[in-house]
Amino acid sequence: MTDPLEWETIDEEVAYSCPGFDVIHETVRLPDGAETDFDYASEPPAVVILPFVSEDEVVLIEEWRQAVKRVNRGLPAGSMESGEDRETAARRELEEETGYEAGRVEFLASVEPANGLLDARHHYFVAFDCEPTGERELDFNESIRVDTTGWEALREAVATGEIEDGRTALGVLHYDAFGP
């Protein structure tokens, strides 16, 4: 152990597995020596794309989200495939979910969205000069509509809470604050 706050993993097993993520069950030793259980969701790295058709027009998706029982309006996103680099994954997910292809893609940021609950890492990209030339190829469990909106309208929707999706809010706010 290198940090006095570090927990020691004594045992680890996959408690549950499903398409998209696993639930990991661990037995851990805390810094004070106490042993306890810890469970978390484990998923592959993902990409989130802020796709611009023009300087003021952004591609969004509307997707049913069963966990919150509503349609979620937000940015295209998805898991990286094994061995796939981040930019390739961003281009692929954009085309698969929206049918748009990017002329240029720039890395924006990498974040751990909820590292107390899951080991996810999201890589954000901005896509420019997007055109509807690709073919959509949705996963079996994706129900998605594609739409476009103005950049200012998207910023306003995040600011007012109309868009509640955390990935989208973070991508819009990061781009707005720091650019690509």
mmCIF file of all heavy atoms in Angstrom, residues 111-143:
data_model
loop_
_atom_site.group_PDB
_atom_site.id
_atom_site.type_symbol
_atom_site.label_atom_id
_atom_site.label_comp_id
_atom_site.label_asym_id
_atom_site.label_seq_id
_atom_site.Cartn_x
_atom_site.Cartn_y
_atom_site.Cartn_z
ATOM 1 N N VAL A 111 -13.056 11.948 -17.978
ATOM 2 C CA VAL A 111 -13.549 12.070 -16.604
ATOM 3 C C VAL A 111 -14.010 10.716 -16.083
ATOM 4 O O VAL A 111 -14.339 9.816 -16.851
ATOM 5 C CB VAL A 111 -14.723 13.078 -16.489
ATOM 6 C CG1 VAL A 111 -14.314 14.462 -16.931
ATOM 7 C CG2 VAL A 111 -15.923 12.600 -17.273
ATOM 8 N N GLU A 112 -14.035 10.605 -14.770
ATOM 9 C CA GLU A 112 -14.631 9.465 -14.074
ATOM 10 C C GLU A 112 -15.955 9.977 -13.504
ATOM 11 O O GLU A 112 -15.962 10.711 -12.519
ATOM 12 C CB GLU A 112 -13.714 8.969 -12.958
ATOM 13 C CG GLU A 112 -12.395 8.439 -13.461
ATOM 14 C CD GLU A 112 -11.405 8.154 -12.345
ATOM 15 O OE1 GLU A 112 -11.611 8.624 -11.207
ATOM 16 O OE2 GLU A 112 -10.416 7.469 -12.624
ATOM 17 N N PRO A 113 -17.093 9.645 -14.124
ATOM 18 C CA PRO A 113 -18.352 10.304 -13.779
ATOM 19 C C PRO A 113 -18.908 10.016 -12.394
ATOM 20 O O PRO A 113 -19.628 10.841 -11.844
ATOM 21 C CB PRO A 113 -19.309 9.819 -14.860
ATOM 22 C CG PRO A 113 -18.730 8.541 -15.328
ATOM 23 C CD PRO A 113 -17.249 8.680 -15.200
ATOM 24 N N ALA A 114 -18.615 8.890 -11.816
ATOM 25 C CA ALA A 114 -19.168 8.546 -10.497
ATOM 26 C C ALA A 114 -18.282 7.502 -9.846
ATOM 27 O O ALA A 114 -18.703 6.383 -9.587
ATOM 28 C CB ALA A 114 -20.598 8.047 -10.628
ATOM 29 N N ASN A 115 -17.019 7.873 -9.548
ATOM 30 C CA ASN A 115 -16.040 6.875 -9.125
ATOM 31 C C ASN A 115 -16.251 6.309 -7.727
ATOM 32 O O ASN A 115 -15.482 5.477 -7.282
ATOM 33 C CB ASN A 115 -14.610 7.377 -9.318
ATOM 34 C CG ASN A 115 -14.302 8.627 -8.521
ATOM 35 O OD1 ASN A 115 -15.004 8.973 -7.576
ATOM 36 N ND2 ASN A 115 -13.250 9.304 -8.923
ATOM 37 N N GLY A 116 -17.301 6.700 -7.052
ATOM 38 C CA GLY A 116 -17.671 6.041 -5.804
ATOM 39 C C GLY A 116 -18.593 4.860 -6.040
ATOM 40 O O GLY A 116 -18.805 4.030 -5.153
ATOM 41 N N LEU A 117 -19.165 4.782 -7.254
ATOM 42 C CA LEU A 117 -20.135 3.745 -7.598
ATOM 43 C C LEU A 117 -19.711 2.849 -8.743
ATOM 44 O O LEU A 117 -20.186 1.729 -8.867
ATOM 45 C CB LEU A 117 -21.477 4.382 -7.991
ATOM 46 C CG LEU A 117 -22.114 5.333 -6.989
ATOM 47 C CD1 LEU A 117 -23.288 6.039 -7.615
ATOM 48 C CD2 LEU A 117 -22.527 4.571 -5.758
ATOM 49 N N LEU A 118 -18.865 3.371 -9.639
ATOM 50 C CA LEU A 118 -18.465 2.599 -10.810
ATOM 51 C C LEU A 118 -17.073 2.996 -11.260
ATOM 52 O O LEU A 118 -16.575 4.054 -10.909
ATOM 53 C CB LEU A 118 -19.476 2.756 -11.941
ATOM 54 C CG LEU A 118 -19.767 4.145 -12.478
ATOM 55 C CD1 LEU A 118 -19.963 4.073 -13.982
ATOM 56 C CD2 LEU A 118 -21.054 4.671 -11.855
ATOM 57 N N ASP A 119 -16.457 2.126 -12.062
ATOM 58 C CA ASP A 119 -15.092 2.382 -12.532
ATOM 59 C C ASP A 119 -15.065 3.004 -13.925
ATOM 60 O O ASP A 119 -14.036 3.010 -14.576
ATOM 61 C CB ASP A 119 -14.258 1.096 -12.494
ATOM 62 C CG ASP A 119 -14.743 0.040 -13.476
ATOM 63 O OD1 ASP A 119 -15.726 0.264 -14.207
ATOM 64 O OD2 ASP A 119 -14.124 -1.045 -13.501
ATOM 65 N N ALA A 120 -16.176 3.568 -14.366
ATOM 66 C CA ALA A 120 -16.297 4.114 -15.716
ATOM 67 C C ALA A 120 -15.344 5.277 -15.955
ATOM 68 O O ALA A 120 -15.044 6.056 -15.055
ATOM 69 C CB ALA A 120 -17.735 4.586 -15.953
ATOM 70 N N ARG A 121 -14.889 5.370 -17.191
ATOM 71 C CA ARG A 121 -14.082 6.501 -17.662
ATOM 72 C C ARG A 121 -14.682 6.948 -18.984
ATOM 73 O O ARG A 121 -14.812 6.153 -19.912
ATOM 74 C CB ARG A 121 -12.633 6.081 -17.833
ATOM 75 C CG ARG A 121 -11.717 7.237 -18.146
ATOM 76 C CD ARG A 121 -10.276 6.856 -17.786
ATOM 77 N NE ARG A 121 -9.373 7.951 -17.989
ATOM 78 C CZ ARG A 121 -9.170 8.946 -17.125
ATOM 79 N NH1 ARG A 121 -9.823 8.980 -16.002
ATOM 80 N NH2 ARG A 121 -8.298 9.900 -17.404
ATOM 81 N N HIS A 122 -15.071 8.225 -19.059
ATOM 82 C CA HIS A 122 -15.687 8.773 -20.268
ATOM 83 C C HIS A 122 -14.716 9.735 -20.940
ATOM 84 O O HIS A 122 -14.189 10.644 -20.297
ATOM 85 C CB HIS A 122 -16.979 9.512 -19.924
ATOM 86 C CG HIS A 122 -18.051 8.609 -19.416
ATOM 87 N ND1 HIS A 122 -19.228 9.078 -18.906
ATOM 88 C CD2 HIS A 122 -18.141 7.260 -19.339
ATOM 89 C CE1 HIS A 122 -19.999 8.067 -18.534
ATOM 90 N NE2 HIS A 122 -19.341 6.955 -18.782
ATOM 91 N N HIS A 123 -14.518 9.527 -22.230
ATOM 92 C CA HIS A 123 -13.637 10.364 -23.036
ATOM 93 C C HIS A 123 -14.526 11.247 -23.911
ATOM 94 O O HIS A 123 -15.324 10.742 -24.708
ATOM 95 C CB HIS A 123 -12.717 9.505 -23.901
ATOM 96 C CG HIS A 123 -11.919 8.521 -23.109
ATOM 97 N ND1 HIS A 123 -10.890 8.900 -22.276
ATOM 98 C CD2 HIS A 123 -12.018 7.170 -22.994
ATOM 99 C CE1 HIS A 123 -10.367 7.826 -21.705
ATOM 100 N NE2 HIS A 123 -11.045 6.767 -22.118
ATOM 101 N N TYR A 124 -14.386 12.558 -23.757
ATOM 102 C CA TYR A 124 -15.213 13.524 -24.484
ATOM 103 C C TYR A 124 -14.493 14.029 -25.720
ATOM 104 O O TYR A 124 -13.298 14.337 -25.666
ATOM 105 C CB TYR A 124 -15.547 14.712 -23.577
ATOM 106 C CG TYR A 124 -16.599 14.393 -22.551
ATOM 107 C CD1 TYR A 124 -16.290 13.662 -21.414
ATOM 108 C CD2 TYR A 124 -17.914 14.816 -22.726
ATOM 109 C CE1 TYR A 124 -17.258 13.364 -20.474
ATOM 110 C CE2 TYR A 124 -18.888 14.516 -21.796
ATOM 111 C CZ TYR A 124 -18.549 13.790 -20.663
ATOM 112 O OH TYR A 124 -19.513 13.495 -19.749
ATOM 113 N N PHE A 125 -15.261 14.136 -26.806
ATOM 114 C CA PHE A 125 -14.750 14.656 -28.066
ATOM 115 C C PHE A 125 -15.707 15.689 -28.623
ATOM 116 O O PHE A 125 -16.915 15.621 -28.384
ATOM 117 C CB PHE A 125 -14.596 13.524 -29.102
ATOM 118 C CG PHE A 125 -13.421 12.636 -28.843
ATOM 119 C CD1 PHE A 125 -13.517 11.572 -27.961
ATOM 120 C CD2 PHE A 125 -12.210 12.872 -29.475
ATOM 121 C CE1 PHE A 125 -12.435 10.755 -27.710
ATOM 122 C CE2 PHE A 125 -11.118 12.058 -29.230
ATOM 123 C CZ PHE A 125 -11.229 10.996 -28.345
ATOM 124 N N VAL A 126 -15.170 16.624 -29.397
ATOM 125 C CA VAL A 126 -15.969 17.559 -30.168
ATOM 126 C C VAL A 126 -15.770 17.170 -31.622
ATOM 127 O O VAL A 126 -14.640 16.979 -32.076
ATOM 128 C CB VAL A 126 -15.528 19.024 -29.949
ATOM 129 C CG1 VAL A 126 -16.438 19.968 -30.723
ATOM 130 C CG2 VAL A 126 -15.532 19.370 -28.481
ATOM 131 N N ALA A 127 -16.882 17.013 -32.330
ATOM 132 C CA ALA A 127 -16.828 16.671 -33.754
ATOM 133 C C ALA A 127 -17.305 17.889 -34.545
ATOM 134 O O ALA A 127 -18.328 18.497 -34.208
ATOM 135 C CB ALA A 127 -17.715 15.463 -34.032
ATOM 136 N N PHE A 128 -16.558 18.236 -35.574
ATOM 137 C CA PHE A 128 -16.885 19.400 -36.397
ATOM 138 C C PHE A 128 -17.222 18.963 -37.826
ATOM 139 O O PHE A 128 -16.821 17.892 -38.268
ATOM 140 C CB PHE A 128 -15.696 20.366 -36.439
ATOM 141 C CG PHE A 128 -15.336 20.934 -35.093
ATOM 142 C CD1 PHE A 128 -14.295 20.382 -34.358
ATOM 143 C CD2 PHE A 128 -16.033 22.007 -34.571
ATOM 144 C CE1 PHE A 128 -13.952 20.902 -33.122
ATOM 145 C CE2 PHE A 128 -15.698 22.538 -33.334
ATOM 146 C CZ PHE A 128 -14.654 21.986 -32.615
ATOM 147 N N ASP A 129 -17.957 19.832 -38.524
ATOM 148 C CA ASP A 129 -18.311 19.601 -39.937
ATOM 149 C C ASP A 129 -19.020 18.265 -40.123
ATOM 150 O O ASP A 129 -18.716 17.495 -41.043
ATOM 151 C CB ASP A 129 -17.058 19.667 -40.827
ATOM 152 C CG ASP A 129 -16.296 20.971 -40.654
ATOM 153 O OD1 ASP A 129 -16.956 22.030 -40.562
ATOM 154 O OD2 ASP A 129 -15.051 20.935 -40.591
ATOM 155 N N CYS A 130 -19.967 17.990 -39.249
ATOM 156 C CA CYS A 130 -20.705 16.726 -39.313
ATOM 157 C C CYS A 130 -21.742 16.773 -40.432
ATOM 158 O O CYS A 130 -22.441 17.772 -40.602
ATOM 159 C CB CYS A 130 -21.393 16.442 -37.979
ATOM 160 S SG CYS A 130 -20.217 16.181 -36.633
ATOM 161 N N GLU A 131 -21.812 15.679 -41.166
ATOM 162 C CA GLU A 131 -22.777 15.566 -42.263
ATOM 163 C C GLU A 131 -23.531 14.253 -42.139
ATOM 164 O O GLU A 131 -22.951 13.231 -41.777
ATOM 165 C CB GLU A 131 -22.048 15.608 -43.604
ATOM 166 C CG GLU A 131 -21.379 16.931 -43.884
ATOM 167 C CD GLU A 131 -20.756 16.966 -45.278
ATOM 168 O OE1 GLU A 131 -21.040 16.064 -46.106
ATOM 169 O OE2 GLU A 131 -19.983 17.898 -45.521
ATOM 170 N N PRO A 132 -24.836 14.276 -42.503
ATOM 171 C CA PRO A 132 -25.647 13.050 -42.406
ATOM 172 C C PRO A 132 -25.407 12.115 -43.590
ATOM 173 O O PRO A 132 -26.264 11.931 -44.438
ATOM 174 C CB PRO A 132 -27.078 13.587 -42.390
ATOM 175 C CG PRO A 132 -26.999 14.849 -43.189
ATOM 176 C CD PRO A 132 -25.631 15.420 -42.914
ATOM 177 N N THR A 133 -24.221 11.518 -43.618
ATOM 178 C CA THR A 133 -23.868 10.651 -44.739
ATOM 179 C C THR A 133 -23.715 9.189 -44.348
ATOM 180 O O THR A 133 -23.644 8.326 -45.208
ATOM 181 C CB THR A 133 -22.532 11.103 -45.370
ATOM 182 O OG1 THR A 133 -21.517 11.045 -44.367
ATOM 183 C CG2 THR A 133 -22.622 12.508 -45.922
ATOM 184 N N GLY A 134 -23.639 8.933 -43.071
ATOM 185 C CA GLY A 134 -23.399 7.570 -42.604
ATOM 186 C C GLY A 134 -24.674 6.775 -42.451
ATOM 187 O O GLY A 134 -25.778 7.276 -42.639
ATOM 188 N N GLU A 135 -24.509 5.524 -42.106
ATOM 189 C CA GLU A 135 -25.638 4.621 -41.851
ATOM 190 C C GLU A 135 -25.742 4.389 -40.362
ATOM 191 O O GLU A 135 -24.749 4.054 -39.711
ATOM 192 C CB GLU A 135 -25.380 3.286 -42.557
ATOM 193 C CG GLU A 135 -25.252 3.405 -44.045
ATOM 194 C CD GLU A 135 -26.447 2.820 -44.761
ATOM 195 O OE1 GLU A 135 -27.287 2.179 -44.103
ATOM 196 O OE2 GLU A 135 -26.533 3.028 -45.969
ATOM 197 N N ARG A 136 -26.939 4.536 -39.824
ATOM 198 C CA ARG A 136 -27.148 4.237 -38.411
ATOM 199 C C ARG A 136 -27.106 2.730 -38.204
ATOM 200 O O ARG A 136 -27.554 1.968 -39.048
ATOM 201 C CB ARG A 136 -28.497 4.780 -37.949
ATOM 202 C CG ARG A 136 -28.518 6.290 -37.901
ATOM 203 C CD ARG A 136 -29.861 6.816 -37.512
ATOM 204 N NE ARG A 136 -30.112 6.517 -36.110
ATOM 205 C CZ ARG A 136 -31.323 6.485 -35.556
ATOM 206 N NH1 ARG A 136 -32.396 6.714 -36.277
ATOM 207 N NH2 ARG A 136 -31.462 6.217 -34.283
ATOM 208 N N GLU A 137 -26.547 2.319 -37.088
ATOM 209 C CA GLU A 137 -26.472 0.904 -36.739
ATOM 210 C C GLU A 137 -26.657 0.788 -35.224
ATOM 211 O O GLU A 137 -25.694 0.668 -34.474
ATOM 212 C CB GLU A 137 -25.125 0.325 -37.180
ATOM 213 C CG GLU A 137 -25.068 -1.174 -37.114
ATOM 214 C CD GLU A 137 -23.759 -1.704 -37.672
ATOM 215 O OE1 GLU A 137 -23.267 -1.184 -38.687
ATOM 216 O OE2 GLU A 137 -23.234 -2.646 -37.073
ATOM 217 N N LEU A 138 -27.907 0.835 -34.793
ATOM 218 C CA LEU A 138 -28.213 0.841 -33.370
ATOM 219 C C LEU A 138 -28.014 -0.538 -32.754
ATOM 220 O O LEU A 138 -28.231 -1.560 -33.395
ATOM 221 C CB LEU A 138 -29.656 1.292 -33.137
ATOM 222 C CG LEU A 138 -30.009 2.697 -33.629
ATOM 223 C CD1 LEU A 138 -31.486 2.988 -33.387
ATOM 224 C CD2 LEU A 138 -29.136 3.742 -32.954
ATOM 225 N N ASP A 139 -27.619 -0.537 -31.473
ATOM 226 C CA ASP A 139 -27.545 -1.781 -30.713
ATOM 227 C C ASP A 139 -28.965 -2.304 -30.504
ATOM 228 O O ASP A 139 -29.939 -1.545 -30.588
ATOM 229 C CB ASP A 139 -26.878 -1.545 -29.349
ATOM 230 C CG ASP A 139 -25.396 -1.203 -29.479
ATOM 231 O OD1 ASP A 139 -24.801 -1.496 -30.537
ATOM 232 O OD2 ASP A 139 -24.848 -0.641 -28.520
ATOM 233 N N PHE A 140 -29.097 -3.572 -30.173
ATOM 234 C CA PHE A 140 -30.408 -4.202 -30.037
ATOM 235 C C PHE A 140 -31.275 -3.523 -28.980
ATOM 236 O O PHE A 140 -32.492 -3.540 -29.069
ATOM 237 C CB PHE A 140 -30.269 -5.699 -29.717
ATOM 238 C CG PHE A 140 -29.908 -5.977 -28.271
ATOM 239 C CD1 PHE A 140 -30.895 -6.296 -27.351
ATOM 240 C CD2 PHE A 140 -28.593 -5.905 -27.837
ATOM 241 C CE1 PHE A 140 -30.575 -6.544 -26.025
ATOM 242 C CE2 PHE A 140 -28.263 -6.156 -26.513
ATOM 243 C CZ PHE A 140 -29.260 -6.473 -25.600
ATOM 244 N N ASN A 141 -30.655 -2.895 -27.988
ATOM 245 C CA ASN A 141 -31.420 -2.288 -26.900
ATOM 246 C C ASN A 141 -31.417 -0.763 -26.942
ATOM 247 O O ASN A 141 -31.624 -0.108 -25.932
ATOM 248 C CB ASN A 141 -30.905 -2.786 -25.548
ATOM 249 C CG ASN A 141 -29.451 -2.427 -25.306
ATOM 250 O OD1 ASN A 141 -28.756 -1.954 -26.209
ATOM 251 N ND2 ASN A 141 -28.979 -2.659 -24.096
ATOM 252 N N GLU A 142 -31.188 -0.180 -28.110
ATOM 253 C CA GLU A 142 -31.210 1.270 -28.256
ATOM 254 C C GLU A 142 -32.459 1.705 -29.015
ATOM 255 O O GLU A 142 -32.758 1.179 -30.082
ATOM 256 C CB GLU A 142 -29.968 1.769 -29.016
ATOM 257 C CG GLU A 142 -28.691 1.644 -28.226
ATOM 258 C CD GLU A 142 -27.482 2.132 -28.982
ATOM 259 O OE1 GLU A 142 -27.338 1.806 -30.187
ATOM 260 O OE2 GLU A 142 -26.658 2.839 -28.378
ATOM 261 N N SER A 143 -33.170 2.667 -28.447
ATOM 262 C CA SER A 143 -34.319 3.300 -29.089
ATOM 263 C C SER A 143 -33.987 4.782 -29.189
ATOM 264 O O SER A 143 -34.072 5.517 -28.206
ATOM 265 C CB SER A 143 -35.593 3.112 -28.250
ATOM 266 O OG SER A 143 -35.852 1.751 -28.041
#
